[in-house]
Amino acid sequence: MFSSVTRRYLLTSCRVQSLATHMLKSVVTCVAPQPNSFHIPQAQRRLFVAHCVQLPYRRPAGACVLIKGQQFHSSTQSHKRKKTQEEPQERELDLLRYDMKDLMKGPKPALYLGFSGLIPFVCAPLLMAVTEVYYPDVAFAQVAYGASILSFLGGARWGFALPEGSPAKPDWLNLANSVVPSLFAWVALLFRDSITESSVMVIMGLGIALHYDLALLPGYPSWFKALRTILTLVATFSLVATLIIKNVYPEKKLSEIFQKNN
C-alpha cells in the first residue's frame, strides 16, 4: 500500500515538473501556446497547485532572465518620453551680461561718432575744474548741447519706426513717446537764467529717453542699447559735475575775461 502511494506520488511529481518546465520554456521562447496543444486534466491541475504550494519550486535560469526583462520592459519609466530641452527664454534686459558684450559688434562709424559726441559734455566741467572758475556761459553751452542731443534721440526713434519691416511699429506708443525728449529739451532752453533748472530738465530727459529705448520701446539692437547706456551715464555725470562746480568755485563770465585782455 505504501509503495503504491509512493509510486503514484513520484509519478505525479514527475508529470508536474515536466508540465511546469514545458510551460516555462514556452514563455521563455516567447511563443504563444497553440490552442489544445496540450491538455492538463483537472486532477493534475489540482495536484500542480498543491505541489506548487508545498514543494520548493525550481526556476530555470532562463525564467529569471525573462522576469528581469519583463520588469525592465514593463517599467513605466521606460515608456516615458524624454523631455525635450526647453526653448531658451526671451532674453530680458541685462546690460552687463548680454548687451555690453555686443558693444564692439556695432558699426565703427556709430561707435566713433557716439563717443566723440561726449566731448562737449566732458570738456565743460573739465575746463572749469582746471581753472577753478565757474563760467555760466560754458555751463549754458553744455545744457544747450544736451538739449540738442535730446531732440536727436527723439528723431532717431522716428527714423527707426517709420521704415517698412522695422521691429518697431509706427504707432502711438513709439511716435508719441519719441516727442517727449524734444519737449524736455525745449523746456530746458527756457530756463536760460537758471542753469540748475535747465540742467535738471536735460538730465530728466536723458533718463526718460534711456528708459524708453531699453525697457518700453522695443527694437534697438544690443550694441546700440549698450552705447546708449554709456553715453547717457557720461552725459548725466558731466551735467552733475557742472552743478557741483557752480556751488564750489567762484563765478566769472567769459566777456569779462575778453575785456581785460583787450
Side-chain angles (χ1 to χ4, degrees):
M1 180 69 178
F2 179 78
S3 61
S4 62
V5 172
T6 304
R7 190 179 305 169
R8 185 178 300 176
Y9 175 79
L10 293 176
L11 181 61
T12 306
S13 299
C14 292
R15 289 181 179 179
V16 169
Q17 289 183 0
S18 62
L19 289 174
T21 304
H22 181 72
M23 292 174 65
L24 289 172
K25 284 184 179 180
S26 63
V27 173
V28 170
T29 55
C30 299
V31 177
Q34 298 294 332
N36 299 328
S37 59
F38 59 89
H39 178 69
I40 303 176
Q42 185 176 3
Q44 291 183 1
R45 273 184 282 178
R46 293 177 180 175
L47 289 174
F48 176 74
V49 174
H51 288 299
C52 286
V53 174
Q54 297 177 3
L55 298 177
Y57 174 68
R58 296 180 180 179
R59 184 179 300 169
C64 296
V65 176
L66 178 64
I67 293 174
K68 291 182 179 179
Q70 287 179 350
Q71 291 177 356
F72 177 77
H73 290 293
S74 62
S75 176
T76 56
Q77 295 181 356
S78 63
H79 294 287
K80 290 181 179 180
R81 296 181 179 178
K82 295 181 179 180
K83 294 182 178 180
T84 58
Q85 296 181 354
E86 296 181 357
E87 297 181 357
Q89 297 180 354
E90 294 183 0
R91 190 174 70 183
E92 298 179 354
L93 178 62
D94 197 341
L95 291 173
L96 296 178
R97 186 180 301 178
Y98 300 111
D99 297 332
M100 288 299 176
K101 295 180 180 179
D102 297 336
L103 176 62
M104 303 310 298
K105 296 180 182 180
K108 298 301 180 182
L111 297 178
Y112 292 152
L113 292 174
F115 286 114
S116 61
L118 294 175
I119 295 176
F121 282 111
V122 177
C123 287
L126 184 61
L127 174 63
M128 292 183 285
V130 171
T131 59
E132 296 183 355
V133 177
Y134 169 70
Y135 299 106
D137 298 332
V138 176
F140 181 77
Q142 183 190 32
V143 171
Y145 179 74
S148 64
I149 293 297
L150 283 178
S151 298
F152 168 76
L153 295 177
R157 169 58 63 172
W158 271 61
F160 184 75
L162 291 179
E164 296 182 0
S166 175
K169 298 180 180 180
D171 52 7
W172 284 100
L173 180 64
N174 284 282
L175 299 184
N177 287 320
S178 301
V179 180
V180 175
S182 301
L183 295 177
F184 275 90
W186 173 62
V187 175
L189 294 177
L190 295 179
F191 294 101
R192 178 180 176 84
D193 297 332
S194 180
I195 296 299
T196 302
E197 284 78 1
S198 60
S199 298
V200 170
M201 294 302 297
V202 173
I203 292 173
M204 291 176 58
L206 291 173
I208 292 174
L210 181 64
H211 171 70
Y212 285 166
D213 293 340
L214 296 184
L216 183 60
L217 304 178
Y220 282 145
S222 297
W223 67 266
F224 187 73
K225 292 180 180 179
L227 181 64
R228 284 277 291 106
T229 303
I230 295 174
L231 298 181
T232 300
L233 291 177
V234 175
T236 301
F237 286 130
S238 299
L239 292 168
V240 172
T242 300
L243 295 178
I244 295 174
I245 291 173
K246 178 179 180 295
N247 297 323
V248 173
Y249 295 129
E251 180 179 342
K252 185 180 292 187
K253 294 184 179 181
L254 293 176
S255 59
E256 297 177 359
I257 298 176
F258 293 149
Q259 288 177 2
K260 289 181 180 180
N261 293 332
N262 295 331

